[in-house]
């Protein structure tokens, strides 16, 4: 039983709908997870690894090959709710760097049914390919094979005129996001990525127009002369198609002459600081919390660290804040951010949120909850431990936090819930497993949305230690009359 609670009138008539429990429906395997030191599948910034469209769910992952130093990109699909996964590997690209940045991201254009892939990016030239039209809009009509996809390109089609050595080099963290159908823009898929190395990278936006090609929106978050690069927690469109983002800055340390190719070096998370926020109604004009204009991309003016009114919470360097944890917008367009701090002598997860009066609140996840958790979950965060997710299931009042245990060697996973009626302070644990989540949990943001081809199920993308799996959870609802 589900319905959309979008107005007080509806609420008064029908009551408020909460998620009070989760019930496991199924766990299915996508394929083996490569035995690398750093994780190539399931990184918090991977957007998306799992996405539903038009009654089908799609997943991407790296799989091992006979040669242990080579991985191939794989894509899978199934018809919902429980069709068998089918798919294939791309034989024409060998992934060889053992580097946790080098994930695969998947995007789908709802307008023409093209599937877009970018992979293996850490300060290198773009690796992009897309399918022919109709693959996702008419899934039953195609044989799902590699022949549906273009060769790899080191540019975005339609943007051949841009200098590849400026726009499509040193690329990291590609993220796709569907542009809401309610907007009348002709573009329906957004791409965000960092260009330039850690501490020196800018964040760029592009969009894709069905049956056309990619267009440049612009550079929206820029480093300053003193070098701080932004690490976004995510990107979310509101119900009015306003794009919201939050981020931390990382100060740059000059590492010339040092080997910093793979993971954090002197430019590590200890140099992260602050929780920043901005939004844009048209992707070009960016505004701060109070709606003041701080960026005009068409005039070449991005948001910079010195932009007024972007810092919602000042968090010092060495303050325990991590980069790229999580954010979500709820049904009332309240922004919620998940991150962590050690500003009280104890590393804790924090929830930062913006209410409908645009005021922000910061609350730690209560340590006392650990006593009620098989994973002691709220006592586990470490400075670089596995990152979690926030989920705001459309049509419900509940905010969910998906928290992976950061305790040494633990693969526990806990899902917590809180409600706006109690100002999101009433966190309780509604579901837990003590093992099975070996790296950062991801979820299918589109399957949850019944207005966008989904069926309301919470699908998680997990690394269970050996395999990449999809775990489906049914939201158990309770309606409270008011
Ligand atoms: C495995 O792949 C690596 C990287 O391409 C290559 O250097 C090595 O020679 C390969 N090993 C074998 C046995 O083919
Ligand atoms: C679980 O998934 C398998 C494989 O896709 C399917 O055959 C089975 O029916 C599913 N079980 C349930 C309870 O949905
Ligand atoms: C990938 O590696 C395999 C095994 O070494 C080799 O046969 C194949 O030609 C390589 N493919 C590419 C695209 O380099
Ligand atoms: C799919 O493959 C089958 C078997 O190879 C073939 O008979 C059929 O025509 C193909 N369909 C399309 C749409 O290519
Ligand atoms: C998109 O760009 C490619 C070249 O990269 C071109 O071949 C194709 O015709 C373009 N498509 C459209 C619809 O303009
Ligand atoms: C989109 O266009 C239609 C028809 O022109 C109009 O009725 C509707 O209000 C527009 N919606 C938005 C979100 O601009
Ligand atoms: C890309 O990185 C290389 C070093 O790896 C650097 O020399 C070059 O200036 C960078 N280019 C851009 C546009 O950031
Ligand atoms: C880093 O240090 C090297 C060597 O001292 C210098 O050439 C370079 O300009 C510095 N880079 C930055 C971004 O400060
Ligand atoms: C929404 O549509 C308006 C009007 O067509 C356009 O200016 C704006 O860029 C669109 N927003 C997004 C997020 O695409
Ligand atoms: C948090 O900070 C305190 C005091 O600075 C330090 O002793 C402790 O080790 C830190 N905790 C973590 C998880 O880094
Ligand atoms: C949780 O904490 C209690 C008390 O400190 C400890 O006995 C228990 O082993 C912990 N459990 C886990 C899963 O870490
Ligand atoms: C974690 O696993 C490693 C490797 O198996 C082991 O050496 C270490 O003692 C374990 N740590 C804890 C706290 O269990």
């Amino acid at each position: 039983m589900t319905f959309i609670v979008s107005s007080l009138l509806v609420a008064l008539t029908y009551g408020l709908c909460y998620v009070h429990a989760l019930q496991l429906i199924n766990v299915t395997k996508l394929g083996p997870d490569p035995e690398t030191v750093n994780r190539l599948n399931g990184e918090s910034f991977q957007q998306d690894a799992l996405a539903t469209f038009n009654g089908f769910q799609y997943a991407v992952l790296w799989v091992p090959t006979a040669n242990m130093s080579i991985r191939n990109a794989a894509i899978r699909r199934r018809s919902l709710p429980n069709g068998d996964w089918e798919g294939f590997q791309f034989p024409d690209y060998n992934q060889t760097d053992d580097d946790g940045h080098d994930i695969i991201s998947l995007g789908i254009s709802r307008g023409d049914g093209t599937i877009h892939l970018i992979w293996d990016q850490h300060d290198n030239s773009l690796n992009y390919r897309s399918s022919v039209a109709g693959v996702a809009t008419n899934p039953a009509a195609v044989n799902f094979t590699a022949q549906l996809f273009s060769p790899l390109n080191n540019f975005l089609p339609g943007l051949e005129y841009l200098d590849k050595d400026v726009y499509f080099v040193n690329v990291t963290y590609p993220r796709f996001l569907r542009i809401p159908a309610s907007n009348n823009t002709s573009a329906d898929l957004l791409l965000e990525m960092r260009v330039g190395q850690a501490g020196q990278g800018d964040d760029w936006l592009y969009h894709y127009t069905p049956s056309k090609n990619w267009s440049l929106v612009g550079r929206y978050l820029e480093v300053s002369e003193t070098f701080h690069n932004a690490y976004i927690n995510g990107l979310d469109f509101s119900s009015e198609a306003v794009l919201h983002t939050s981020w931390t800055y990382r100060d740059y340390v000059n590492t010339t002459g040092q080997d910093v190719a793979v993971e954090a070096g002197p430019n590590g998370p200890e140099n992260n600081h602050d929780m920043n926020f901005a939004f844009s109604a048209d992707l070009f004009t960016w505004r701060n919390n109070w709606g003041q204009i701080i960026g005009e991309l068409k005039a070449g003016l991005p948001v910079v660290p010195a932009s007024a009114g972007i810092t919602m919470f000042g968090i010092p360097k060495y303050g325990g804040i991590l980069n790229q944890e999580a954010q979500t917008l709820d049904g009332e367009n309240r922004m919620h951010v998940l991150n962590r701090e050690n500003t009280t002598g104890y590393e804790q997860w924090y929830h930062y949120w913006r209410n409908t009066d645009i005021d922000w609140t910061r609350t730690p996840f209560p340590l006392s909850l650990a006593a009620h958790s098989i994973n002691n979950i709220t006592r586990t965060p470490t400075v670089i431990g596995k990152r979690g997710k926030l989920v705001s299931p459309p049509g419900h009042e509940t905010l969910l936090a998906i928290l992976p245990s950061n305790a040494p060697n633990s693969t526990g996973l806990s899902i917590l819930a809180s409600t706006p009626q109690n100002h999101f302070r009433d966190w309780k644990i509604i579901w837990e497993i003590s093992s099975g989540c070996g790296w950062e949990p991801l979820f299918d943001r589109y399957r949850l949305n019944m207005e966008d081809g989904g069926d309301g199920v919470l699908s998680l993308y997990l690394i269970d230690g050996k395999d990449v799996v999809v775990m489906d959870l049914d939201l158990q609802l309770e309606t409270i009359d008011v």
Side-chain angles (χ1 to χ4, degrees):
M1 178 210 59
T2 50
F3 48 80
I4 310 290
V5 180
S6 57
S7 71
L8 187 59
L9 185 64
V10 174
L12 286 171
T13 312
Y14 296 108
L16 298 171
C17 195
Y18 296 93
V19 179
H20 74 94
L22 296 168
Q23 186 177 330
L24 182 64
I25 304 172
N26 214 344
V27 185
T28 49
K29 273 184 203 176
L30 293 172
D33 189 46
E35 290 179 25
T36 44
V37 174
N38 301 291
R39 306 280 29 99
L40 296 168
N41 296 316
E43 295 279 351
S44 68
F45 49 80
Q46 191 174 358
Q47 189 178 318
D48 286 300
L50 187 63
T52 286
F53 177 75
N54 190 29
F56 272 68
Q57 192 174 42
Y58 297 83
V60 286
L61 68 157
W62 292 111
V63 292
T65 68
N67 181 332
M68 289 304 282
S69 357
I70 296 176
R71 274 73 59 180
N72 283 161
I75 182 165
R76 308 276 182 253
R77 72 170 190 183
R78 65 172 171 178
S79 63
L80 291 175
N82 57 14
D84 288 335
W85 289 106
E86 59 163 338
F88 55 89
Q89 275 82 259
F90 290 94
D92 62 349
Y93 186 89
N94 287 340
Q95 200 284 339
T96 54
D97 289 339
D98 186 339
D99 178 338
H101 297 83
D102 292 344
I103 49 88
I104 308 173
S105 285
L106 160 94
I108 296 172
S109 160
R110 68 161 74 71
D112 67 9
T114 47
I115 298 177
H116 303 256
L117 301 172
I118 299 182
W119 63 47
D120 203 16
Q121 300 292 169
H122 189 190
D123 299 339
N124 54 340
S125 297
L126 190 69
N127 292 309
Y128 166 85
R129 79 193 325 161
S130 62
S131 76
V132 296
V135 173
T137 37
N138 203 357
V142 296
N143 288 328
F144 197 57
T145 65
Q147 283 69 51
L148 296 171
F149 284 79
S150 71
L152 281 164
N153 284 316
N154 57 4
F155 60 92
L156 293 171
L159 294 172
E160 290 79 357
Y161 71 92
L162 292 178
D163 183 349
K164 288 204 268 281
D165 292 331
V166 174
Y167 289 86
F168 302 126
V169 289
N170 297 344
V171 172
T172 317
Y173 307 127
R175 293 184 191 242
F176 293 103
L177 184 65
R178 270 178 237 162
I179 298 171
S182 61
N183 197 37
N184 282 344
T185 176
S186 49
D188 69 356
L189 185 63
L190 188 73
L191 168 63
E192 202 270 8
M193 57 193 190
R194 186 182 82 190
V195 175
Q197 297 166 335
Q200 310 180 72
D202 299 329
D203 283 68
W204 292 77
L205 291 172
Y206 294 86
H207 65 50
Y208 176 82
T209 305
S211 309
K212 296 229 175 63
N213 264 324
W214 288 93
S215 314
L216 173 63
V217 176
R219 172 171 23 199
Y220 78 110
L221 295 175
E222 192 188 41
V223 295
S224 64
E225 293 93 54
T226 47
F227 295 113
H228 309 259
N229 97 207
Y231 284 94
I232 62 168
N233 293 309
L235 294 160
D236 289 279
F237 281 108
S238 71
S239 51
E240 286 87 36
V242 177
L243 185 64
H244 290 63
T245 189
S246 63
W247 68 96
T248 183
Y249 280 115
R250 183 180 300 177
D251 286 1
Y252 172 71
V253 176
N254 193 335
T255 53
T256 302
Q258 295 181 50
D259 178 11
V260 291
V262 179
E263 292 294 305
N267 284 308
E270 66 282 359
N271 293 328
N272 293 343
H273 57 93
D274 302 336
M275 211 294 287
N276 303 289
F277 169 75
F279 65 89
S280 172
D282 66 357
L283 308 178
F284 295 100
T285 298
W286 284 83
R287 296 174 186 272
N288 67 14
N289 188 58
W290 296 274
Q292 296 159 324
I293 294 177
I294 49 169
E296 284 283 15
L297 309 199
K298 284 180 176 161
L301 296 172
V303 178
V304 296
S307 293
I310 55 172
T311 303
M312 298 300 101
F313 295 98
I315 302 164
K317 287 206 272 184
Y318 295 92
I321 187 167
L322 194 42
N323 41 283
Q324 299 154 304
E325 191 139 17
Q327 68 166 47
T328 190
L329 277 179
D330 69 20
E332 301 292 327
N333 294 325
R334 288 174 290 233
M335 172 71 127
H336 301 273
V337 176
L338 173 70
N339 214 303
R340 54 189 78 192
E341 290 181 29
N342 184 356
T343 41
T344 57
Y346 204 90
E347 185 85 17
Q348 266 179 276
W349 267 302
Y350 278 74
H351 173 217
Y352 312 78
W353 64 283
R354 183 182 190 241
N355 69 15
T356 49
D357 294 328
I358 73 171
D359 297 323
W360 282 82
T361 302
R362 158 169 61 180
T363 325
F365 280 74
L367 294 174
S368 57
L369 261 184
H372 308 282
S373 162
I374 56 169
N375 296 320
N376 291 348
I377 193 70
T378 54
R379 287 192 174 268
T380 69
T382 63
V383 186
I384 53 162
K386 288 180 283 228
R387 291 163 286 195
K389 285 279 178 243
L390 293 178
V391 184
S392 184
H396 311 305
E397 291 287 297
T398 312
L399 177 69
L400 301 176
I402 305 179
L403 302 178
S405 172
N406 286 192
N409 299 349
S410 171
T411 61
L413 180 68
S414 301
I415 300 185
L416 285 63
S418 70
T419 68
Q421 282 64 38
N422 290 305
H423 305 283
F424 304 103
R425 278 192 289 250
D426 53 342
W427 290 107
K428 59 178 192 243
I429 293 155
I430 61 166
W431 189 84
E432 287 192 304
I433 46 177
S434 58
S435 67
C437 179
W439 195 235
E440 298 180 325
L442 307 179
F443 73 100
D444 182 342
R445 67 177 70 222
Y446 302 106
R447 186 172 184 182
L448 281 166
N449 189 350
M450 308 227 251
E451 289 180 351
D452 199 17
D455 60 3
V457 168
L458 175 61
S459 270
L460 304 180
Y461 178 103
L462 302 177
I463 315 304
D464 75 0
K466 203 158 84 40
D467 293 302
V468 184
V469 302
V470 175
M471 182 179 280
D472 298 330
L473 297 163
D474 191 45
L475 308 181
Q476 308 274 292
L477 305 179
E478 123 190 297
T479 304
I480 302 202
D481 292 330
V482 291

